[in-house]
Coordinates of all heavy atoms in Angstrom, one line a residue:
G16 N 0.8 -1.2 0.0 CA 0.0 0.0 0.0 C 0.8 1.3 0.0 O 0.3 2.4 0.1
K17 N 2.1 1.1 -0.1 CA 3.0 2.3 -0.1 C 3.8 2.4 -1.3 O 4.0 1.5 -2.1 CB 3.9 2.3 1.1 CG 3.2 2.4 2.5 CD 4.1 2.5 3.6 CE 3.4 2.7 4.9 NZ 4.3 2.8 6.1
Q18 N 4.3 3.6 -1.6 CA 5.2 3.8 -2.8 C 6.6 3.2 -2.5 O 7.0 3.1 -1.4 CB 5.3 5.3 -3.1 CG 4.0 5.9 -3.6 CD 4.2 7.3 -4.1 OE1 5.1 8.1 -3.6 NE2 3.5 7.7 -5.2
R19 N 7.2 2.9 -3.6 CA 8.6 2.4 -3.5 C 9.5 3.6 -3.0 O 9.4 4.7 -3.5 CB 9.1 1.9 -4.8 CG 10.3 1.1 -4.8 CD 10.5 0.4 -6.1 NE 9.4 -0.5 -6.5 CZ 9.3 -1.3 -7.6 NH1 10.3 -1.2 -8.5 NH2 8.3 -2.1 -7.8
Q20 N 10.4 3.3 -2.1 CA 11.3 4.3 -1.6 C 12.7 3.9 -1.6 O 13.0 2.7 -1.4 CB 10.8 4.7 -0.2 CG 11.0 3.6 0.9 CD 10.7 4.1 2.3 OE1 10.7 3.3 3.2 NE2 10.7 5.4 2.5
L21 N 13.6 4.8 -1.8 CA 15.0 4.6 -1.7 C 15.5 4.5 -0.3 O 15.2 5.4 0.5 CB 15.8 5.7 -2.4 CG 17.3 5.6 -2.4 CD1 17.8 4.4 -3.2 CD2 17.9 6.9 -3.0
V22 N 16.2 3.4 0.1 CA 16.7 3.3 1.5 C 18.2 3.5 1.6 O 18.7 3.8 2.7 CB 16.2 2.0 2.2 CG1 14.7 2.0 2.3 CG2 16.7 0.8 1.4
A23 N 18.9 3.1 0.6 CA 20.4 3.2 0.7 C 21.0 3.4 -0.7 O 20.4 2.8 -1.7 CB 20.9 2.0 1.4
G24 N 22.0 4.1 -0.8 CA 22.7 4.3 -2.1 C 24.2 4.3 -1.9 O 24.7 4.6 -0.9
I25 N 24.9 3.9 -3.0 CA 26.4 3.8 -3.0 C 26.9 4.2 -4.3 O 26.4 3.8 -5.4 CB 26.9 2.4 -2.6 CG1 28.4 2.4 -2.4 CG2 26.4 1.3 -3.5 CD1 28.9 1.2 -1.7
T26 N 27.9 5.1 -4.4 CA 28.5 5.5 -5.6 C 29.6 4.5 -6.1 O 30.0 3.6 -5.3 CB 29.1 6.9 -5.5 OG1 30.3 6.8 -4.6 CG2 28.1 7.9 -5.0
R27 N 30.1 4.7 -7.3 CA 31.1 3.8 -7.8 C 32.4 3.9 -6.9 O 33.1 3.0 -6.7 CB 31.4 4.2 -9.2 CG 32.4 3.3 -9.9 CD 32.4 3.6 -11.4 NE 32.6 5.0 -11.7 CZ 32.2 5.6 -12.8 NH1 31.5 5.0 -13.7 NH2 32.4 6.9 -13.0
G28 N 32.6 5.1 -6.3 CA 33.7 5.3 -5.5 C 33.5 4.8 -4.0 O 34.5 4.8 -3.2
G29 N 32.3 4.4 -3.7 CA 32.1 3.9 -2.4 C 31.4 4.8 -1.4 O 31.2 4.4 -0.2
S30 N 31.1 6.0 -1.8 CA 30.3 6.9 -0.9 C 28.9 6.4 -0.7 O 28.3 5.9 -1.7 CB 30.3 8.3 -1.5 OG 31.6 8.8 -1.5
T31 N 28.4 6.5 0.5 CA 27.1 5.9 0.8 C 26.2 7.0 1.4 O 26.6 8.0 2.0 CB 27.2 4.7 1.8 OG1 27.9 5.2 3.0 CG2 28.0 3.6 1.2
D32 N 24.9 6.7 1.3 CA 23.9 7.5 2.0 C 22.7 6.7 2.3 O 22.5 5.7 1.6 CB 23.5 8.7 1.0 CG 22.8 9.8 1.8 OD1 22.9 9.8 3.1 OD2 22.3 10.7 1.2
Y33 N 22.0 7.1 3.3 CA 20.9 6.3 3.8 C 19.7 7.1 4.2 O 19.8 8.3 4.6 CB 21.3 5.5 5.1 CG 22.5 4.6 4.9 CD1 23.8 5.1 5.1 CD2 22.3 3.3 4.5 CE1 24.9 4.2 4.9 CE2 23.4 2.4 4.3 CZ 24.7 2.9 4.4 OH 25.8 2.1 4.2
A34 N 18.5 6.5 4.0 CA 17.3 7.1 4.5 C 17.4 7.2 6.1 O 18.0 6.3 6.7 CB 16.1 6.3 4.1
D35 N 16.8 8.2 6.6 CA 16.9 8.4 8.1 C 16.4 7.2 8.8 O 16.9 6.8 9.9 CB 16.1 9.6 8.5 CG 16.8 10.9 8.1 OD1 18.0 10.9 7.8 OD2 16.2 12.0 8.1
S36 N 15.4 6.5 8.3 CA 14.7 5.4 8.9 C 15.6 4.2 9.1 O 15.3 3.3 9.9 CB 13.4 5.0 8.2 OG 13.7 4.6 6.9
V37 N 16.7 4.1 8.3 CA 17.6 2.9 8.4 C 19.0 3.3 8.8 O 19.8 2.4 9.0 CB 17.6 2.2 7.0 CG1 16.2 1.8 6.6 CG2 18.3 2.9 5.9
K38 N 19.3 4.6 8.9 CA 20.6 5.0 9.2 C 21.1 4.4 10.5 O 20.4 4.4 11.5 CB 20.7 6.5 9.3 CG 22.0 7.1 9.1 CD 21.9 8.7 8.9 CE 21.3 9.0 7.6 NZ 21.2 10.5 7.3
G39 N 22.3 3.8 10.5 CA 22.9 3.2 11.7 C 22.5 1.7 11.8 O 23.1 1.0 12.7
R40 N 21.6 1.3 11.0 CA 21.2 -0.2 11.1 C 21.5 -0.9 9.8 O 21.8 -2.1 9.8 CB 19.7 -0.2 11.3 CG 19.2 0.4 12.6 CD 17.8 0.1 12.9 NE 16.9 0.7 11.9 CZ 16.0 -0.1 11.2 NH1 16.0 -1.4 11.4 NH2 15.2 0.5 10.3
F41 N 21.4 -0.2 8.6 CA 21.7 -0.8 7.3 C 23.0 -0.4 6.8 O 23.4 0.8 7.0 CB 20.6 -0.5 6.3 CG 19.2 -1.1 6.6 CD1 18.9 -1.7 7.8 CD2 18.2 -1.0 5.6 CE1 17.7 -2.3 8.0 CE2 17.0 -1.5 5.8 CZ 16.7 -2.1 7.0
T42 N 23.7 -1.3 6.1 CA 24.9 -0.9 5.4 C 24.9 -1.4 4.0 O 24.7 -2.6 3.8 CB 26.1 -1.6 6.1 OG1 26.2 -1.1 7.5 CG2 27.5 -1.1 5.5
I43 N 25.1 -0.5 3.0 CA 25.2 -0.9 1.6 C 26.6 -1.0 1.2 O 27.5 -0.3 1.7 CB 24.4 0.1 0.8 CG1 24.3 -0.4 -0.7 CG2 25.1 1.5 0.8 CD1 23.4 0.5 -1.6
S44 N 26.9 -2.0 0.3 CA 28.2 -2.2 -0.2 C 28.1 -2.7 -1.6 O 27.1 -3.2 -2.0 CB 29.1 -3.1 0.6 OG 28.5 -4.4 0.7
R45 N 29.2 -2.6 -2.4 CA 29.2 -3.1 -3.8 C 30.5 -3.7 -4.1 O 31.6 -3.3 -3.6 CB 28.8 -2.0 -4.8 CG 29.9 -0.9 -4.9 CD 29.3 0.3 -5.7 NE 29.3 0.0 -7.1 CZ 28.8 0.9 -8.0 NH1 28.2 2.0 -7.6 NH2 28.8 0.6 -9.3
D46 N 30.5 -4.8 -4.9 CA 31.6 -5.5 -5.4 C 31.6 -5.4 -6.9 O 30.9 -6.2 -7.5 CB 31.7 -6.9 -4.9 CG 32.9 -7.6 -5.2 OD1 33.6 -7.3 -6.2 OD2 33.3 -8.6 -4.5
N47 N 32.3 -4.4 -7.5 CA 32.2 -4.2 -8.9 C 32.8 -5.4 -9.7 O 32.3 -5.8 -10.8 CB 33.0 -3.0 -9.3 CG 32.3 -1.7 -8.8 OD1 31.0 -1.7 -8.7 ND2 33.1 -0.7 -8.5
A48 N 33.7 -6.1 -9.1 CA 34.3 -7.3 -9.8 C 33.3 -8.4 -9.9 O 33.3 -9.2 -10.9 CB 35.6 -7.7 -9.0
K49 N 32.4 -8.5 -8.9 CA 31.4 -9.5 -8.9 C 30.1 -9.0 -9.4 O 29.1 -9.8 -9.4 CB 31.2 -10.1 -7.5 CG 32.4 -10.9 -7.0 CD 32.2 -11.5 -5.6 CE 33.4 -12.3 -5.1 NZ 33.1 -12.9 -3.8
N50 N 30.0 -7.8 -9.8 CA 28.8 -7.2 -10.3 C 27.6 -7.4 -9.3 O 26.5 -7.8 -9.7 CB 28.4 -7.7 -11.7 CG 29.4 -7.3 -12.7 OD1 29.9 -6.2 -12.7 ND2 29.8 -8.3 -13.5
T51 N 27.9 -7.2 -8.0 CA 26.9 -7.4 -7.0 C 26.9 -6.3 -6.0 O 27.9 -5.7 -5.6 CB 27.3 -8.7 -6.2 OG1 27.4 -9.8 -7.2 CG2 26.3 -9.1 -5.2
V52 N 25.7 -6.0 -5.5 CA 25.5 -5.0 -4.5 C 24.8 -5.7 -3.3 O 24.0 -6.5 -3.5 CB 24.5 -3.8 -5.0 CG1 24.4 -2.8 -3.9 CG2 25.1 -3.2 -6.3
Y53 N 25.2 -5.3 -2.1 CA 24.7 -5.9 -0.9 C 24.0 -4.9 0.0 O 24.3 -3.7 -0.1 CB 25.9 -6.6 -0.1 CG 26.7 -7.5 -0.9 CD1 27.9 -7.2 -1.5 CD2 26.3 -8.9 -1.0 CE1 28.7 -8.0 -2.2 CE2 27.1 -9.8 -1.8 CZ 28.2 -9.4 -2.4 OH 29.0 -10.3 -3.1
L54 N 23.1 -5.4 0.8 CA 22.5 -4.6 1.9 C 22.5 -5.5 3.2 O 21.8 -6.4 3.3 CB 21.1 -4.2 1.5 CG 20.5 -3.2 2.5 CD1 21.2 -1.9 2.5 CD2 19.0 -3.0 2.2
Q55 N 23.4 -5.1 4.1 CA 23.4 -5.7 5.4 C 22.4 -5.0 6.3 O 22.5 -3.8 6.5 CB 24.8 -5.6 6.0 CG 24.9 -6.2 7.4 CD 24.6 -7.7 7.5 OE1 25.2 -8.5 6.6 NE2 23.8 -8.2 8.4
M56 N 21.4 -5.7 6.8 CA 20.4 -5.1 7.6 C 20.4 -5.7 9.0 O 20.2 -6.9 9.2 CB 19.0 -5.4 7.0 CG 18.9 -5.0 5.5 SD 17.2 -5.1 4.9 CE 17.0 -6.9 5.0
N57 N 20.7 -4.9 10.0 CA 20.7 -5.3 11.4 C 19.6 -4.6 12.2 O 19.0 -3.6 11.7 CB 22.1 -4.9 12.0 CG 23.2 -5.6 11.3 OD1 23.1 -6.7 10.8 ND2 24.4 -4.9 11.2
S58 N 19.4 -5.1 13.4 CA 18.4 -4.5 14.3 C 17.0 -4.3 13.5 O 16.5 -3.2 13.6 CB 18.9 -3.2 14.9 OG 20.1 -3.4 15.6
L59 N 16.6 -5.3 12.8 CA 15.4 -5.1 12.0 C 14.2 -4.9 12.9 O 14.0 -5.4 14.0 CB 15.2 -6.4 11.1 CG 16.1 -6.4 9.9 CD1 16.2 -7.8 9.4 CD2 15.7 -5.5 8.8
K60 N 13.3 -4.1 12.3 CA 12.0 -3.7 12.9 C 10.8 -4.1 12.1 O 11.0 -4.3 10.8 CB 12.0 -2.2 13.1 CG 13.1 -1.6 13.8 CD 13.0 0.0 13.9 CE 14.2 0.6 14.6 NZ 14.1 2.1 14.7
P61 N 9.7 -4.3 12.7 CA 8.5 -4.7 11.8 C 8.2 -3.7 10.7 O 7.8 -4.2 9.6 CB 7.4 -4.7 12.9 CG 8.1 -5.1 14.2 CD 9.4 -4.4 14.1

């Protein structure tokens, strides 16, 4: 019932930014060699 929202972003150089709602709990990373982006989510809430 809600719109899609951006929660985390990472630049090619590794700079990151987060939505306030997940800051301090989520970590985004990327492995360009493996063409993969990750999102580590801790302290999850309902």
